[in-house]
């Protein structure tokens, strides 16, 4: 049986990818499956936490037992749902693949190809960084965890990148996933590093997304205790 070491904690986990509409039938999206975020939510509930899962798009995954799932589509919807849930949360984990940009205009009709007009161009506008906003509005005692997907390996500067990102984002813990070469996205297993704002760093060996989730919650529990 799992420890009930997260009993009494209210946690928010975001998962999956956002979709940014171009017109009524098209969107810009990404390859996030949502599996890592769902695993984090499921493991937290199993360990006794009260869990809100803010779920974007991904595989059609069943709601993890004992969690309150809020489905969202765009980055702006995810932002509203995360901030609403975070207002009363002890821990927020941003595992979602939030689109950095959205089409600047959402056309109200289906974009058509025409012979007398030039082909359309897509102008992008920056989405808010939800993680940075969480850090800015942090409640006292709230623990904030970010994810970073980086290509390459530790020798190719992934860790340097990740250290810089942890500082820049101001979160307490950063989970770094090594991606590319078929890693992390749309697969069952994950690997990487867990960086803490106090300088602690540990590798997360290749394992299931549930295993990574357990490692992250161990680190969160440890972080809260100090
Ligand atoms: O900067 P980058 O996109 O690599 O940062 C990833 C982290 O920031 C993830 O935790 C992701 O959920 C979060 N993020 C966010 N809002 C954005 C973009 C990323 O909260 N607009």
């Amino acid at each position: 049986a799992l420890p009930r070491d997260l009993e009494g904690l209210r946690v928010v986990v975001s998962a999956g990818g956002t979709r940014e509409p171009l017109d009524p039938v098209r969107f810009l999206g990404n390859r996030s499956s949502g599996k890592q975020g769902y695993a984090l939510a499921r493991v937290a509930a199993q360990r006794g936490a009260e869990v809100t899962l803010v779920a974007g798009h991904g595989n059609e995954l069943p709601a993890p037992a004992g969690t309150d799932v809020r489905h969202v589509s765009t980055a702006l919807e995810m932002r509203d749902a995360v901030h609403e849930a975070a207002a009363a949360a002890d821990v927020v984990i941003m595992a979602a693949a939030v689109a950095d940009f959205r089409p600047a205009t959402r056309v109200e009709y289906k974009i058509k190809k025409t012979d007398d007009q030039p082909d359309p161009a897509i102008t992008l506008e920056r989405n808010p960084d939800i993680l940075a906003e969480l850090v800015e509005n942090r409640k006292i005692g709230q623990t904030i965890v970010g994810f970073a997907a980086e290509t390459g390996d530790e020798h190719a500067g992934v860790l340097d990148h990740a250290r810089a990102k942890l500082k820049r984002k101001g979160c307490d813990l950063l989970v770094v996933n090594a991606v590319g070469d078929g890693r992390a996205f749309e697969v069952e297993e994950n690997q990487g590093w867990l960086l803490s704002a106090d300088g602690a760093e540990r590798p997360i060996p290749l394992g299931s997304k549930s295993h990574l989730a357990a490692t992250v919650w161990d680190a969160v529990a440890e972080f809260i205790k100090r």
Side-chain angles (χ1 to χ4, degrees):
L2 289 171
R4 301 279 298 175
D5 59 338
L6 304 178
E7 198 117 67
L9 287 182
R10 283 189 282 196
V11 313
V12 178
V13 178
S14 70
T18 64
R19 286 182 180 175
E20 310 300 321
L22 277 160
D23 71 14
V25 295
R26 303 185 181 97
F27 57 83
L28 299 179
N30 61 63
R31 295 186 187 282
S32 174
S33 68
K35 282 180 188 164
Q36 186 58 70
Y38 273 64
L40 283 159
R42 177 168 34 79
V43 169
Q46 286 169 341
R47 286 164 63 162
E50 194 182 303
V51 183
T52 302
L53 173 60
V54 179
H57 297 277
N59 296 5
E60 297 286 316
L61 299 167
T67 66
D68 174 14
V69 187
R70 316 244 170 107
H71 290 281
V72 297
S73 188
T74 66
L76 293 176
E77 287 169 19
M78 179 164 284
R79 175 206 215 180
D80 288 346
V82 166
H83 286 311
E84 191 188 320
D90 302 294
V91 182
V92 185
I93 300 188
M94 284 298 299
V98 185
D100 290 322
F101 302 100
R102 63 178 178 274
T105 49
R106 175 183 186 163
V107 184
E108 293 308 324
Y109 52 87
K110 188 179 166 201
I111 299 166
K112 294 254 188 317
K113 29 178 208 252
T114 52
D115 290 329
D116 54 346
Q117 297 279 323
D119 289 343
I122 300 171
T123 305
L124 298 176
E125 191 167 69
R126 201 179 275 242
N127 273 325
D129 188 322
I130 303 168
L131 181 58
E133 289 179 345
L134 285 166
V135 168
E136 219 167 280
N137 301 303
R138 183 204 293 270
K139 283 198 320 158
I140 295 164
Q142 192 173 56
T143 303
I144 301 174
V145 183
F147 267 71
E150 307 279 354
T151 52
D153 57 38
E154 59 194 307
H155 308 295
V158 168
L159 277 175
D160 289 336
H161 256 123
R163 288 180 193 118
K165 186 170 283 185
L166 177 65
K167 280 228 172 69
R168 191 167 67 242
K169 297 248 179 187
C171 50
D172 301 302
L173 296 165
L174 187 72
V175 184
V176 184
N177 284 139
V179 300
D181 306 329
R183 292 178 300 189
F185 288 117
E186 299 178 311
V187 297
E188 297 305 325
E189 299 203 307
N190 229 342
Q191 71 185 112
W193 295 269
L194 188 57
L195 308 190
S196 171
D198 62 16
E201 297 181 355
R202 64 175 103 169
I204 305 172
L206 185 65
S208 68
K209 291 184 175 179
S210 302
H211 185 264
L212 186 139
T215 306
V216 171
W217 284 117
D218 289 346
V220 168
E222 215 172 278
F223 192 88
I224 288 172
K225 259 193 244 145
R226 290 166 323 134

